[in-house]
Amino acid sequence: MSAASDGATDSAALLRELAAQEEALVLPRFSNDDAWRLGCLLVELARERGAAVTVDIRRGGQQLFHYALDGTSPDNDAWLDRKARVVERFAASSLAVGERFRAKGRTFEDSSRLDPDLFAAHGGAFPLRVAGVGVVGVVGVSGLPQAEDHALVVAGLTRFLSEPAVG
C-alpha cells in the first residue's frame, strides 16, 4: 500500500470515528442548567489533565457558559468564536469539517470560500445535538493542539451523558 493510500485510509477511518462520536453524543435535552453542569465538568477535566484551556458553551446565539483557566489568553476566545461558527454553519464538529477538506487534499482555508478571520475548521468545537430536535448549540475548548481540544470535549460530553441529571 502506498503512503498516499495509507493517508486516505487513515483519513477515512478518522472521518468514520468522528461521525460515530457525533451520532453517539446526542443529548435528551439541553437547558441552561445543563450548560452549567457540562461547562463545570469540562473545567474539572481540564484541571485533572493540567490543561490550560478556555471552555465555551452557546445555544441559539447566547453564551451560556464561559471559563478561562490560568494560562489562557484572549486568543483562545477568538479561536472559540471561529470554531463555533464552523459548527453552526456545517452542523458538525470543527475537527470533522476540517478533516473532510483534508481528505480531499484541500485546506478549509483555501477551499471553503469562508473568511479565515471568522471561521476555523480546527478541532475543539462540537455540536450540541438534541434528540428529535437537531443541533441547538456548540460546546468548545481552546488551548491545546486541535485533536486534544476535540478529545477533551468528547470526554466531557461522554461523562455528561453518563451522569444522572440533577434537579
Side-chain angles (χ1 to χ4, degrees), residues 86 93-103 106-108 121-122:
V86 167
S93 74
S94 53
L95 184 60
V97 172
E99 189 56 32
R100 288 176 193 159
F101 282 87
R102 287 186 288 279
R106 301 180 183 138
T107 67
F108 176 82
H122 294 262

